[in-house]
Amino acid sequence: MSRPKPPRKIIIDTDPGQDDAVAILLALASPEEIEVLGITAVAGNVPLALTEANARRVVELSGRPARVFAGCDRPMHRALVTAEHVHGKTGLDGADLPVPRLALEPQHGVDFIVETLMREPPGTVTLCPLGPLTNIATAFRRAPEIAARVQEIVLMGGAYFEVGNITPAAEFNIYVDPEAAEIVLKSGCRVVMVPLDATHKALTSRDWIARMRALETPVGRAVAGWTDFFERFDVAKYGSEGGPLHDPCVIAWLLAPGLFSGREINVEIETGSELTLGMTVADWWRVTDRPANALFLREVDRDGLFALLTERLARL
Ligand code: RIB
Ligand code: CA
């Protein structure tokens, strides 16, 4: 009888954000497969003071242990662009969570990323960025030697067929800090990109939200409230049935990669043109000889994804 695989060690880098919150809950609900070494907050959907407090609120809601660190409060070279129009003023509108009792870790999130990658054996830590890539890129700049020690980077960001959601050309996480995204994609790390092409198929439904509410747990009520609030933006904009659960797709890929499919392709980031800033130029049709640097996901089994989410969130 083969011994069960040890859980995959991950660092979640995040800008909660309702979808980030569901991703964090999914990871913390899956300790047999995932060991969350730490959660580093970054400025993105809302400013850092809110994303770090929101991350602590979500950890507390989960009832599972995790450490939260505050990282960078602005992009590497640009002013911060936020998304209150999508996530609300608090970043977690839709559910009213108490001020967290869980203390913020005193160490800066970037230092935590560097220290963890230097301490853990090479190739044993996966980075899971769910927001702008500022913390990850800053860590790579501060300690270039850590890139070779990363097992892989599984990130939510970018788009090709789905083009942009914050501008006509760019997806939000990449747009907020395009220089950081360029550093990450040129780092030589194994990168799995979960772009809008996949996440726009990960749509909530009224039935699923009702199923969350029917759990009659604090987690079920919060997830129902968040997704109720969060979907209104996409339903109004795209006329879609529900809201796309972008970030949980990153954790779902770790748990059940068979739910997704994509291609190993080259992806470059536009950092020069104001018109197309942050565009992920994905060579899906391999029309260039640029080497593949990412597994770019395009398809997701929506039913399988929501069945996994339901089963796991019901555990909390
Ligand atoms: O474009 C979607 C991404 O931007 C998601 O990660 C969402 O949380 C926001 O950060
Ligand atoms: Ca996010």
Side-chain angles (χ1 to χ4, degrees), residues 162-207:
E162 285 294 302
V163 208
N165 62 356
I166 188 73
T167 73
E171 179 279 323
F172 179 80
N173 288 342
I174 308 299
Y175 176 73
V176 169
D177 200 336
E179 287 80 10
E182 184 175 51
I183 289 168
V184 170
L185 280 174
K186 292 192 167 166
S187 65
C189 292
R190 161 116 179 106
V191 174
V192 178
M193 282 185 86
V194 188
L196 296 179
D197 306 80
T199 67
H200 274 178
K201 297 171 182 125
L203 295 175
T204 58
S205 66
R206 304 308 313 160
D207 286 352

mmCIF file of all heavy atoms in Angstrom, residues 162-207:
data_model
loop_
_atom_site.group_PDB
_atom_site.id
_atom_site.type_symbol
_atom_site.label_atom_id
_atom_site.label_comp_id
_atom_site.label_asym_id
_atom_site.label_seq_id
_atom_site.Cartn_x
_atom_site.Cartn_y
_atom_site.Cartn_z
ATOM 1 N N GLU A 162 -10.641 36.018 -23.826
ATOM 2 C CA GLU A 162 -11.543 36.854 -23.033
ATOM 3 C C GLU A 162 -11.066 38.305 -22.951
ATOM 4 O O GLU A 162 -11.730 39.145 -22.353
ATOM 5 C CB GLU A 162 -11.668 36.277 -21.610
ATOM 6 C CG GLU A 162 -12.538 35.037 -21.523
ATOM 7 C CD GLU A 162 -14.007 35.318 -21.848
ATOM 8 O OE1 GLU A 162 -14.609 36.159 -21.161
ATOM 9 O OE2 GLU A 162 -14.520 34.710 -22.809
ATOM 10 N N VAL A 163 -9.897 38.602 -23.492
ATOM 11 C CA VAL A 163 -9.300 39.944 -23.509
ATOM 12 C C VAL A 163 -9.297 40.554 -22.099
ATOM 13 O O VAL A 163 -8.855 39.905 -21.161
ATOM 14 C CB VAL A 163 -10.019 40.857 -24.516
ATOM 15 C CG1 VAL A 163 -9.035 41.910 -25.023
ATOM 16 C CG2 VAL A 163 -10.517 40.070 -25.714
ATOM 17 N N GLY A 164 -9.853 41.760 -21.877
ATOM 18 C CA GLY A 164 -9.636 42.412 -20.590
ATOM 19 C C GLY A 164 -10.895 42.577 -19.776
ATOM 20 O O GLY A 164 -12.015 42.486 -20.296
ATOM 21 N N ASN A 165 -10.702 42.792 -18.472
ATOM 22 C CA ASN A 165 -11.876 43.096 -17.629
ATOM 23 C C ASN A 165 -11.732 44.442 -16.927
ATOM 24 O O ASN A 165 -12.713 45.003 -16.441
ATOM 25 C CB ASN A 165 -12.158 41.979 -16.603
ATOM 26 C CG ASN A 165 -11.013 41.771 -15.624
ATOM 27 O OD1 ASN A 165 -9.959 42.400 -15.737
ATOM 28 N ND2 ASN A 165 -11.202 40.860 -14.669
ATOM 29 N N ILE A 166 -10.513 44.969 -16.850
ATOM 30 C CA ILE A 166 -10.346 46.298 -16.228
ATOM 31 C C ILE A 166 -10.076 47.339 -17.308
ATOM 32 O O ILE A 166 -10.426 48.495 -17.175
ATOM 33 C CB ILE A 166 -9.223 46.300 -15.168
ATOM 34 C CG1 ILE A 166 -9.186 47.615 -14.401
ATOM 35 C CG2 ILE A 166 -7.865 45.985 -15.814
ATOM 36 C CD1 ILE A 166 -10.319 47.810 -13.419
ATOM 37 N N THR A 167 -9.499 46.926 -18.431
ATOM 38 C CA THR A 167 -9.414 47.747 -19.643
ATOM 39 C C THR A 167 -9.792 46.823 -20.796
ATOM 40 O O THR A 167 -9.876 45.601 -20.597
ATOM 41 C CB THR A 167 -7.978 48.280 -19.917
ATOM 42 O OG1 THR A 167 -7.156 47.183 -20.385
ATOM 43 C CG2 THR A 167 -7.375 48.919 -18.680
ATOM 44 N N PRO A 168 -9.983 47.369 -22.011
ATOM 45 C CA PRO A 168 -10.330 46.467 -23.118
ATOM 46 C C PRO A 168 -9.247 45.423 -23.386
ATOM 47 O O PRO A 168 -9.502 44.407 -24.015
ATOM 48 C CB PRO A 168 -10.469 47.443 -24.303
ATOM 49 C CG PRO A 168 -10.813 48.755 -23.689
ATOM 50 C CD PRO A 168 -10.051 48.784 -22.381
ATOM 51 N N ALA A 169 -8.031 45.660 -22.851
ATOM 52 C CA ALA A 169 -6.906 44.768 -23.204
ATOM 53 C C ALA A 169 -6.354 43.982 -22.027
ATOM 54 O O ALA A 169 -5.588 43.038 -22.228
ATOM 55 C CB ALA A 169 -5.766 45.593 -23.803
ATOM 56 N N ALA A 170 -6.686 44.331 -20.801
ATOM 57 C CA ALA A 170 -5.950 43.731 -19.680
ATOM 58 C C ALA A 170 -6.849 43.216 -18.559
ATOM 59 O O ALA A 170 -7.909 43.781 -18.279
ATOM 60 C CB ALA A 170 -4.973 44.758 -19.099
ATOM 61 N N GLU A 171 -6.398 42.151 -17.949
ATOM 62 C CA GLU A 171 -7.067 41.590 -16.761
ATOM 63 C C GLU A 171 -6.512 42.330 -15.544
ATOM 64 O O GLU A 171 -5.346 42.716 -15.492
ATOM 65 C CB GLU A 171 -6.759 40.076 -16.711
ATOM 66 C CG GLU A 171 -7.337 39.338 -15.540
ATOM 67 C CD GLU A 171 -6.484 39.507 -14.287
ATOM 68 O OE1 GLU A 171 -5.244 39.541 -14.418
ATOM 69 O OE2 GLU A 171 -7.051 39.613 -13.198
ATOM 70 N N PHE A 172 -7.319 42.471 -14.491
ATOM 71 C CA PHE A 172 -7.003 43.349 -13.366
ATOM 72 C C PHE A 172 -5.664 43.021 -12.692
ATOM 73 O O PHE A 172 -4.836 43.909 -12.485
ATOM 74 C CB PHE A 172 -8.146 43.269 -12.332
ATOM 75 C CG PHE A 172 -7.930 44.108 -11.110
ATOM 76 C CD1 PHE A 172 -8.176 45.471 -11.128
ATOM 77 C CD2 PHE A 172 -7.458 43.532 -9.941
ATOM 78 C CE1 PHE A 172 -7.966 46.261 -9.989
ATOM 79 C CE2 PHE A 172 -7.253 44.299 -8.791
ATOM 80 C CZ PHE A 172 -7.502 45.677 -8.825
ATOM 81 N N ASN A 173 -5.433 41.770 -12.297
ATOM 82 C CA ASN A 173 -4.225 41.444 -11.527
ATOM 83 C C ASN A 173 -2.950 41.813 -12.287
ATOM 84 O O ASN A 173 -1.976 42.281 -11.699
ATOM 85 C CB ASN A 173 -4.194 39.947 -11.179
ATOM 86 C CG ASN A 173 -5.217 39.593 -10.117
ATOM 87 O OD1 ASN A 173 -5.726 40.455 -9.392
ATOM 88 N ND2 ASN A 173 -5.557 38.320 -10.026
ATOM 89 N N ILE A 174 -2.982 41.590 -13.583
ATOM 90 C CA ILE A 174 -1.799 41.913 -14.398
ATOM 91 C C ILE A 174 -1.716 43.421 -14.616
ATOM 92 O O ILE A 174 -0.641 44.028 -14.524
ATOM 93 C CB ILE A 174 -1.822 41.157 -15.737
ATOM 94 C CG1 ILE A 174 -2.043 39.660 -15.531
ATOM 95 C CG2 ILE A 174 -0.541 41.427 -16.544
ATOM 96 C CD1 ILE A 174 -0.997 38.952 -14.727
ATOM 97 N N TYR A 175 -2.877 44.033 -14.844
ATOM 98 C CA TYR A 175 -2.911 45.476 -15.159
ATOM 99 C C TYR A 175 -2.384 46.314 -13.988
ATOM 100 O O TYR A 175 -1.680 47.302 -14.199
ATOM 101 C CB TYR A 175 -4.346 45.874 -15.482
ATOM 102 C CG TYR A 175 -4.526 47.360 -15.729
ATOM 103 C CD1 TYR A 175 -4.068 47.953 -16.912
ATOM 104 C CD2 TYR A 175 -5.130 48.187 -14.781
ATOM 105 C CE1 TYR A 175 -4.218 49.315 -17.148
ATOM 106 C CE2 TYR A 175 -5.280 49.546 -14.998
ATOM 107 C CZ TYR A 175 -4.828 50.110 -16.174
ATOM 108 O OH TYR A 175 -4.961 51.464 -16.392
ATOM 109 N N VAL A 176 -2.710 45.908 -12.768
ATOM 110 C CA VAL A 176 -2.337 46.740 -11.612
ATOM 111 C C VAL A 176 -0.809 46.850 -11.493
ATOM 112 O O VAL A 176 -0.271 47.899 -11.171
ATOM 113 C CB VAL A 176 -2.947 46.169 -10.309
ATOM 114 C CG1 VAL A 176 -2.357 46.850 -9.069
ATOM 115 C CG2 VAL A 176 -4.462 46.343 -10.320
ATOM 116 N N ASP A 177 -0.126 45.724 -11.787
ATOM 117 C CA ASP A 177 1.341 45.764 -11.680
ATOM 118 C C ASP A 177 1.963 44.975 -12.828
ATOM 119 O O ASP A 177 2.458 43.855 -12.632
ATOM 120 C CB ASP A 177 1.802 45.209 -10.329
ATOM 121 C CG ASP A 177 3.224 45.691 -9.995
ATOM 122 O OD1 ASP A 177 3.962 46.025 -10.939
ATOM 123 O OD2 ASP A 177 3.584 45.704 -8.797
ATOM 124 N N PRO A 178 1.955 45.532 -14.032
ATOM 125 C CA PRO A 178 2.454 44.794 -15.213
ATOM 126 C C PRO A 178 3.944 44.491 -15.133
ATOM 127 O O PRO A 178 4.392 43.438 -15.588
ATOM 128 C CB PRO A 178 2.118 45.721 -16.380
ATOM 129 C CG PRO A 178 1.893 47.067 -15.806
ATOM 130 C CD PRO A 178 1.442 46.870 -14.403
ATOM 131 N N GLU A 179 4.712 45.400 -14.540
ATOM 132 C CA GLU A 179 6.157 45.147 -14.410
ATOM 133 C C GLU A 179 6.404 43.942 -13.495
ATOM 134 O O GLU A 179 7.297 43.132 -13.740
ATOM 135 C CB GLU A 179 6.871 46.391 -13.852
ATOM 136 C CG GLU A 179 7.000 47.537 -14.849
ATOM 137 C CD GLU A 179 5.719 48.378 -15.008
ATOM 138 O OE1 GLU A 179 4.781 48.197 -14.197
ATOM 139 O OE2 GLU A 179 5.657 49.181 -15.954
ATOM 140 N N ALA A 180 5.578 43.812 -12.463
ATOM 141 C CA ALA A 180 5.726 42.648 -11.570
ATOM 142 C C ALA A 180 5.386 41.375 -12.318
ATOM 143 O O ALA A 180 6.079 40.352 -12.197
ATOM 144 C CB ALA A 180 4.824 42.822 -10.345
ATOM 145 N N ALA A 181 4.331 41.434 -13.126
ATOM 146 C CA ALA A 181 3.937 40.249 -13.894
ATOM 147 C C ALA A 181 5.035 39.847 -14.863
ATOM 148 O O ALA A 181 5.327 38.653 -15.046
ATOM 149 C CB ALA A 181 2.637 40.538 -14.637
ATOM 150 N N GLU A 182 5.666 40.855 -15.465
ATOM 151 C CA GLU A 182 6.768 40.560 -16.408
ATOM 152 C C GLU A 182 7.916 39.864 -15.683
ATOM 153 O O GLU A 182 8.472 38.870 -16.167
ATOM 154 C CB GLU A 182 7.265 41.859 -17.050
ATOM 155 C CG GLU A 182 8.339 41.626 -18.107
ATOM 156 C CD GLU A 182 8.737 42.915 -18.821
ATOM 157 O OE1 GLU A 182 9.051 43.907 -18.120
ATOM 158 O OE2 GLU A 182 8.732 42.918 -20.060
ATOM 159 N N ILE A 183 8.256 40.336 -14.493
ATOM 160 C CA ILE A 183 9.331 39.700 -13.709
ATOM 161 C C ILE A 183 8.980 38.243 -13.412
ATOM 162 O O ILE A 183 9.810 37.341 -13.566
ATOM 163 C CB ILE A 183 9.574 40.485 -12.395
ATOM 164 C CG1 ILE A 183 10.242 41.830 -12.694
ATOM 165 C CG2 ILE A 183 10.405 39.673 -11.405
ATOM 166 C CD1 ILE A 183 10.255 42.780 -11.510
ATOM 167 N N VAL A 184 7.751 37.991 -13.021
ATOM 168 C CA VAL A 184 7.335 36.626 -12.671
ATOM 169 C C VAL A 184 7.388 35.722 -13.896
ATOM 170 O O VAL A 184 7.911 34.610 -13.849
ATOM 171 C CB VAL A 184 5.927 36.631 -12.042
ATOM 172 C CG1 VAL A 184 5.383 35.207 -11.908
ATOM 173 C CG2 VAL A 184 5.957 37.316 -10.679
ATOM 174 N N LEU A 185 6.892 36.214 -15.027
ATOM 175 C CA LEU A 185 6.854 35.378 -16.236
ATOM 176 C C LEU A 185 8.231 35.195 -16.846
ATOM 177 O O LEU A 185 8.445 34.275 -17.640
ATOM 178 C CB LEU A 185 5.873 35.953 -17.254
ATOM 179 C CG LEU A 185 4.400 35.619 -16.955
ATOM 180 C CD1 LEU A 185 3.488 36.329 -17.921
ATOM 181 C CD2 LEU A 185 4.144 34.132 -16.960
ATOM 182 N N LYS A 186 9.177 36.032 -16.487
ATOM 183 C CA LYS A 186 10.548 35.893 -16.986
ATOM 184 C C LYS A 186 11.484 35.281 -15.942
ATOM 185 O O LYS A 186 12.699 35.220 -16.144
ATOM 186 C CB LYS A 186 11.089 37.242 -17.460
ATOM 187 C CG LYS A 186 10.367 37.751 -18.709
ATOM 188 C CD LYS A 186 11.037 38.929 -19.385
ATOM 189 C CE LYS A 186 10.383 39.108 -20.784
ATOM 190 N NZ LYS A 186 10.726 40.412 -21.383
ATOM 191 N N SER A 187 10.880 34.801 -14.828
ATOM 192 C CA SER A 187 11.698 34.316 -13.699
ATOM 193 C C SER A 187 12.310 32.944 -13.962
ATOM 194 O O SER A 187 13.199 32.498 -13.241
ATOM 195 C CB SER A 187 10.809 34.210 -12.450
ATOM 196 O OG SER A 187 9.807 33.193 -12.668
ATOM 197 N N GLY A 188 11.771 32.231 -14.961
ATOM 198 C CA GLY A 188 12.255 30.866 -15.176
ATOM 199 C C GLY A 188 11.501 29.848 -14.338
ATOM 200 O O GLY A 188 11.692 28.639 -14.492
ATOM 201 N N CYS A 189 10.601 30.335 -13.463
ATOM 202 C CA CYS A 189 9.784 29.415 -12.653
ATOM 203 C C CYS A 189 8.768 28.713 -13.553
ATOM 204 O O CYS A 189 8.328 29.254 -14.571
ATOM 205 C CB CYS A 189 9.003 30.174 -11.590
ATOM 206 S SG CYS A 189 10.019 30.895 -10.298
ATOM 207 N N ARG A 190 8.361 27.537 -13.132
ATOM 208 C CA ARG A 190 7.238 26.853 -13.779
ATOM 209 C C ARG A 190 5.986 27.627 -13.409
ATOM 210 O O ARG A 190 5.715 27.836 -12.213
ATOM 211 C CB ARG A 190 7.148 25.414 -13.259
ATOM 212 C CG ARG A 190 5.801 24.752 -13.482
ATOM 213 C CD ARG A 190 5.888 23.561 -14.403
ATOM 214 N NE ARG A 190 4.552 22.940 -14.563
ATOM 215 C CZ ARG A 190 3.809 23.066 -15.679
ATOM 216 N NH1 ARG A 190 4.301 23.770 -16.697
ATOM 217 N NH2 ARG A 190 2.637 22.505 -15.810
ATOM 218 N N VAL A 191 5.261 28.114 -14.407
ATOM 219 C CA VAL A 191 4.088 28.956 -14.155
ATOM 220 C C VAL A 191 2.832 28.306 -14.734
ATOM 221 O O VAL A 191 2.824 27.864 -15.885
ATOM 222 C CB VAL A 191 4.260 30.360 -14.780
ATOM 223 C CG1 VAL A 191 2.964 31.178 -14.646
ATOM 224 C CG2 VAL A 191 5.414 31.114 -14.111
ATOM 225 N N VAL A 192 1.790 28.228 -13.914
ATOM 226 C CA VAL A 192 0.462 27.829 -14.380
ATOM 227 C C VAL A 192 -0.414 29.080 -14.284
ATOM 228 O O VAL A 192 -0.564 29.632 -13.192
ATOM 229 C CB VAL A 192 -0.144 26.694 -13.538
ATOM 230 C CG1 VAL A 192 -1.548 26.343 -14.045
ATOM 231 C CG2 VAL A 192 0.768 25.466 -13.549
ATOM 232 N N MET A 193 -0.908 29.532 -15.442
ATOM 233 C CA MET A 193 -1.745 30.739 -15.455
ATOM 234 C C MET A 193 -3.209 30.320 -15.519
ATOM 235 O O MET A 193 -3.592 29.508 -16.379
ATOM 236 C CB MET A 193 -1.434 31.620 -16.675
ATOM 237 C CG MET A 193 -0.178 32.438 -16.521
ATOM 238 S SD MET A 193 0.070 33.557 -17.918
ATOM 239 C CE MET A 193 -0.910 34.958 -17.344
ATOM 240 N N VAL A 194 -4.013 30.875 -14.604
ATOM 241 C CA VAL A 194 -5.463 30.637 -14.632
ATOM 242 C C VAL A 194 -6.102 31.951 -15.067
ATOM 243 O O VAL A 194 -6.369 32.815 -14.234
ATOM 244 C CB VAL A 194 -6.001 30.196 -13.262
ATOM 245 C CG1 VAL A 194 -7.473 29.778 -13.377
ATOM 246 C CG2 VAL A 194 -5.165 29.058 -12.678
ATOM 247 N N PRO A 195 -6.314 32.135 -16.381
ATOM 248 C CA PRO A 195 -6.759 33.417 -16.905
ATOM 249 C C PRO A 195 -8.262 33.539 -16.940
ATOM 250 O O PRO A 195 -8.991 32.573 -16.616
ATOM 251 C CB PRO A 195 -6.175 33.393 -18.322
ATOM 252 C CG PRO A 195 -6.271 31.957 -18.716
ATOM 253 C CD PRO A 195 -6.073 31.152 -17.460
ATOM 254 N N LEU A 196 -8.757 34.672 -17.388
ATOM 255 C CA LEU A 196 -10.205 34.871 -17.501
ATOM 256 C C LEU A 196 -10.826 33.843 -18.446
ATOM 257 O O LEU A 196 -12.003 33.487 -18.301
ATOM 258 C CB LEU A 196 -10.502 36.288 -18.024
ATOM 259 C CG LEU A 196 -10.086 37.462 -17.140
ATOM 260 C CD1 LEU A 196 -10.438 38.779 -17.825
ATOM 261 C CD2 LEU A 196 -10.735 37.373 -15.762
ATOM 262 N N ASP A 197 -10.024 33.355 -19.400
ATOM 263 C CA ASP A 197 -10.554 32.352 -20.348
ATOM 264 C C ASP A 197 -11.102 31.141 -19.603
ATOM 265 O O ASP A 197 -12.088 30.535 -20.024
ATOM 266 C CB ASP A 197 -9.443 31.930 -21.321
ATOM 267 C CG ASP A 197 -8.830 33.142 -22.001
ATOM 268 O OD1 ASP A 197 -7.992 33.802 -21.364
ATOM 269 O OD2 ASP A 197 -9.237 33.455 -23.131
ATOM 270 N N ALA A 198 -10.458 30.797 -18.500
ATOM 271 C CA ALA A 198 -10.956 29.675 -17.687
ATOM 272 C C ALA A 198 -11.949 30.173 -16.644
ATOM 273 O O ALA A 198 -13.048 29.618 -16.503
ATOM 274 C CB ALA A 198 -9.784 28.971 -16.997
ATOM 275 N N THR A 199 -11.594 31.278 -15.957
ATOM 276 C CA THR A 199 -12.420 31.668 -14.800
ATOM 277 C C THR A 199 -13.791 32.215 -15.204
ATOM 278 O O THR A 199 -14.749 32.120 -14.432
ATOM 279 C CB THR A 199 -11.694 32.700 -13.917
ATOM 280 O OG1 THR A 199 -11.553 33.940 -14.648
ATOM 281 C CG2 THR A 199 -10.335 32.197 -13.482
ATOM 282 N N HIS A 200 -13.901 32.729 -16.400
ATOM 283 C CA HIS A 200 -15.219 33.208 -16.854
ATOM 284 C C HIS A 200 -16.172 32.045 -17.134
ATOM 285 O O HIS A 200 -17.353 32.244 -17.397
ATOM 286 C CB HIS A 200 -15.090 34.104 -18.086
ATOM 287 C CG HIS A 200 -14.814 35.537 -17.734
ATOM 288 N ND1 HIS A 200 -14.610 36.522 -18.659
ATOM 289 C CD2 HIS A 200 -14.689 36.147 -16.535
ATOM 290 C CE1 HIS A 200 -14.394 37.692 -18.063
ATOM 291 N NE2 HIS A 200 -14.432 37.476 -16.760
ATOM 292 N N LYS A 201 -15.647 30.823 -17.064
ATOM 293 C CA LYS A 201 -16.516 29.634 -17.181
ATOM 294 C C LYS A 201 -16.836 29.075 -15.789
ATOM 295 O O LYS A 201 -17.643 28.159 -15.662
ATOM 296 C CB LYS A 201 -15.825 28.580 -18.048
ATOM 297 C CG LYS A 201 -15.598 29.053 -19.497
ATOM 298 C CD LYS A 201 -14.720 28.108 -20.287
ATOM 299 C CE LYS A 201 -14.497 28.649 -21.702
ATOM 300 N NZ LYS A 201 -13.069 28.767 -22.048
ATOM 301 N N ALA A 202 -16.193 29.637 -14.776
ATOM 302 C CA ALA A 202 -16.409 29.172 -13.394
ATOM 303 C C ALA A 202 -17.492 30.031 -12.756
ATOM 304 O O ALA A 202 -17.282 30.693 -11.728
ATOM 305 C CB ALA A 202 -15.115 29.268 -12.606
ATOM 306 N N LEU A 203 -18.667 30.008 -13.374
ATOM 307 C CA LEU A 203 -19.734 30.928 -12.959
ATOM 308 C C LEU A 203 -20.598 30.334 -11.852
ATOM 309 O O LEU A 203 -21.025 29.179 -11.943
ATOM 310 C CB LEU A 203 -20.627 31.260 -14.172
ATOM 311 C CG LEU A 203 -19.950 32.037 -15.320
ATOM 312 C CD1 LEU A 203 -20.929 32.171 -16.489
ATOM 313 C CD2 LEU A 203 -19.461 33.393 -14.846
ATOM 314 N N THR A 204 -20.858 31.161 -10.837
ATOM 315 C CA THR A 204 -21.792 30.729 -9.796
ATOM 316 C C THR A 204 -23.185 30.611 -10.410
ATOM 317 O O THR A 204 -23.447 31.117 -11.495
ATOM 318 C CB THR A 204 -21.841 31.780 -8.665
ATOM 319 O OG1 THR A 204 -22.239 33.042 -9.251
ATOM 320 C CG2 THR A 204 -20.492 31.934 -7.991
ATOM 321 N N SER A 205 -24.066 29.930 -9.687
ATOM 322 C CA SER A 205 -25.474 29.853 -10.126
ATOM 323 C C SER A 205 -26.349 30.148 -8.910
ATOM 324 O O SER A 205 -25.904 30.002 -7.761
ATOM 325 C CB SER A 205 -25.800 28.452 -10.659
ATOM 326 O OG SER A 205 -25.721 27.514 -9.588
ATOM 327 N N ARG A 206 -27.587 30.516 -9.144
ATOM 328 C CA ARG A 206 -28.518 30.773 -8.043
ATOM 329 C C ARG A 206 -28.653 29.515 -7.197
ATOM 330 O O ARG A 206 -28.709 29.567 -5.978
ATOM 331 C CB ARG A 206 -29.897 31.207 -8.572
ATOM 332 C CG ARG A 206 -29.908 32.436 -9.490
ATOM 333 C CD ARG A 206 -29.202 33.665 -8.926
ATOM 334 N NE ARG A 206 -29.561 33.988 -7.558
ATOM 335 C CZ ARG A 206 -28.782 34.754 -6.775
ATOM 336 N NH1 ARG A 206 -27.622 35.208 -7.206
ATOM 337 N NH2 ARG A 206 -29.152 35.058 -5.537
ATOM 338 N N ASP A 207 -28.686 28.332 -7.892
ATOM 339 C CA ASP A 207 -28.818 27.078 -7.127
ATOM 340 C C ASP A 207 -27.626 26.878 -6.201
ATOM 341 O O ASP A 207 -27.770 26.476 -5.047
ATOM 342 C CB ASP A 207 -28.892 25.874 -8.094
ATOM 343 C CG ASP A 207 -30.249 25.807 -8.785
ATOM 344 O OD1 ASP A 207 -31.139 26.608 -8.363
ATOM 345 O OD2 ASP A 207 -30.417 24.991 -9.703
#
